Amino acid sequence: MTRRVTIADIAAAAGVSKGAVSYALNGRPGVSETTRTKILAIAAEMGFVPNRAARSLSVSSAQAVGIALRRSARTIGIEPYFMELISGIEATLSAGSFGLTLQIVGTVEEELEVYRRWWAERRVDGVFLCDVGTSDQRLDFIADLGLPAVAVGGPIEGARFPAVWHDDAEPSRDILEYLYALGHRRVARIAGIPGLLHTAIRDKAYDDTAADLAFESVTTIHSDYTGEQGAQITRRLLSSAKRPTAIVYDNDVMAVAGLGVAHELGLEIPEQLSLVAWDDSQLCRLTHPALTSLTRDIPAYGAKCAEVLMSLIGAATETALQTTETRTFSVQCKPAQLSPRGSTGPAQN
């Protein structure tokens, strides 16, 4: 096996000290430009690859950022939203030679301990805070640590670090107005996890819109986002005496499971039941019929989150951030757009 080229090898070849090689490779003062150029040329010729851990110590950077998720590994593995979000994050991080550390946790206490350990051991230079809650103790905890962070979601009143978010209220209104225009008067929504900020925003938007329009009923039932619960709740709704004529799902996994239940019960889609899904992944286009969805560019969303965090880390590295405004700016991304497909049609009340 070929031996790894070391700083000592480069120093010997260049006729300089190991310290001079270190200064040159890390872009630090202490050597002349002529010597730096010579050392870099020799390092490239010898095929030198920096040891990431050692470099992290020398430049006070881990060259990595982290995500801790309070979801089961199985859920994340089949959830297109997280896969697309992470793909967008990775695309931006890799361009800056940063890595991504993912940790699955069971409780908020475990999550806080992960952040504490990562920062104390300088394993990451910053973190993404996902699944922002309506009352979220993580926000102040991370800010108090001094750990650079970006909240994936918002808007967050009084936040002490940046948030990147979509408007969840406007698309929620669009869904109900669209279904109302199709003649639907009994609508059910299988929502996400209660206590999450985006769930609460959607809840309020549905309630407000339902109050403005002459629906017979708009029912919201919260779930854990899994296909299993999506199927169970759908079966219960469709077995009721006055079943809804339309169901809205807060993610695509539940919508696909709900479509399966409708087929199982012999219902024609969309003639007897209309279905709408949040987050327009490939799952929504591969079903029969294809699912009407709320479309948003999740990879681009992840890339924007990473871009903001990298800017924050860069600012913190070059000079300590001096103002609260620098730390707490908010980035609103383009809201989801309704994409009508074959799963919605006029109601047959």
Side-chain angles (χ1 to χ4, degrees):
M1 185 172 66
T2 305
R3 187 175 70 85
R4 184 188 183 97
V5 177
T6 67
I7 286 179
D9 296 329
I10 299 171
V16 298
S17 68
K18 289 189 291 184
V21 173
S22 179
Y23 290 145
L25 294 177
N26 289 312
R28 295 163 59 188
V31 293
S32 68
E33 283 307 312
T34 300
T35 301
R36 188 189 309 278
T37 301
K38 176 183 176 183
I39 290 170
L40 292 176
I42 291 172
E45 183 180 339
M46 296 176 74
F48 175 73
V49 177
N51 181 292
R52 183 169 163 180
R55 184 178 184 277
S56 294
L57 291 173
S58 67
V59 299
S60 299
S61 172
Q63 293 294 109
V65 298
I67 299 180
L69 293 174
R70 264 179 291 136
R71 302 285 183 94
S72 71
R74 180 173 176 273
T75 298
I76 293 170
I78 63 173
E79 174 62 77
Y81 170 82
F82 281 113
M83 294 299 99
E84 292 182 6
L85 181 74
I86 289 172
S87 73
I89 288 172
E90 279 280 17
T92 298
L93 294 181
S94 60
S97 298
F98 266 63
L100 179 65
T101 298
L102 172 64
Q103 179 96 29
I104 305 300
V105 295
T107 66
V108 66
E109 289 76 21
E110 288 178 20
E111 185 176 348
L112 297 180
E113 180 54 34
V114 166
Y115 296 139
R116 183 187 293 109
R117 186 177 71 252
W118 277 350
W119 192 231
E121 297 173 1
R122 292 300 187 264
R123 293 191 183 187
V124 299
D125 298 311
V127 295
F128 298 102
L129 183 68
C130 295
D131 287 338
V132 179
T134 52
S135 179
D136 200 323
Q137 62 178 298
R138 299 174 301 165
L139 296 169
D140 283 336
F141 180 87
I142 290 173
D144 289 341
L145 282 180
L147 173 59
V150 167
V152 183
I156 305 171
E157 187 175 348
R160 296 162 62 190
F161 52 81
V164 181
W165 54 285
H166 294 98
D167 178 13
D168 284 282
E170 180 181 333
S172 298
R173 289 190 292 270
D174 290 344
I175 293 173
L176 283 188
E177 289 172 354
Y178 171 67
L179 292 174
Y180 188 85
L182 288 174
H184 294 279
R185 297 297 180 265
R186 295 190 306 277
V187 176
R189 167 176 164 244
I190 302 181
I193 300 170
L196 294 184
L197 179 59
H198 72 268
T199 302
I201 291 172
R202 294 179 190 180
D203 288 351
K204 185 177 187 307
Y206 280 106
D207 290 345
D208 290 347
T209 306
D212 292 338
L213 300 173
F215 283 101
E216 181 181 330
S217 65
V218 175
T219 304
T220 292
I221 303 173
H222 293 98
S223 72
D224 64 0
Y225 280 126
T226 64
E228 290 82 1
Q229 279 207 2
Q232 290 167 8
I233 297 170
T234 300
R235 190 172 290 109
R236 189 163 72 244
L237 286 168
L238 296 181
S239 300
S240 62
K242 273 204 164 184
R243 64 175 177 80
T245 62
I247 303 178
V248 181
Y249 297 86
D250 266 19
N251 77 352
D252 42 8
V253 172
M254 294 194 297
V256 171
L259 177 61
V261 171
H263 287 322
E264 167 196 316
L265 296 176
L267 294 175
E268 295 293 329
I269 308 296
E271 291 80 7
Q272 294 175 290
L273 177 69
S274 287
L275 303 176
V276 181
W278 273 83
D279 294 331
D280 185 17
S281 71
Q282 284 295 325
L283 289 178
C284 297
R285 300 166 207 166
L286 296 175
T287 59
H288 181 73
L291 288 165
T292 293
S293 303
L294 283 159
T295 303
R296 51 182 179 168
D297 192 338
I298 301 301
Y301 182 41
K304 175 57 69 175
C305 292
E307 179 186 315
V308 172
L309 183 56
M310 292 289 279
S311 297
L312 199 65
I313 291 169
T317 300
E318 292 171 15
T319 74
L321 297 178
Q322 299 297 320
T323 66
T324 301
E325 289 75 16
T326 307
R327 291 178 183 271
T328 60
F329 63 88
S330 179
V331 177
Q332 182 177 358
C333 298
K334 182 180 178 182
Q337 302 295 309
L338 187 65
S339 298
R341 297 197 183 98
S343 69
T344 49
Q348 294 183 358
N349 293 296

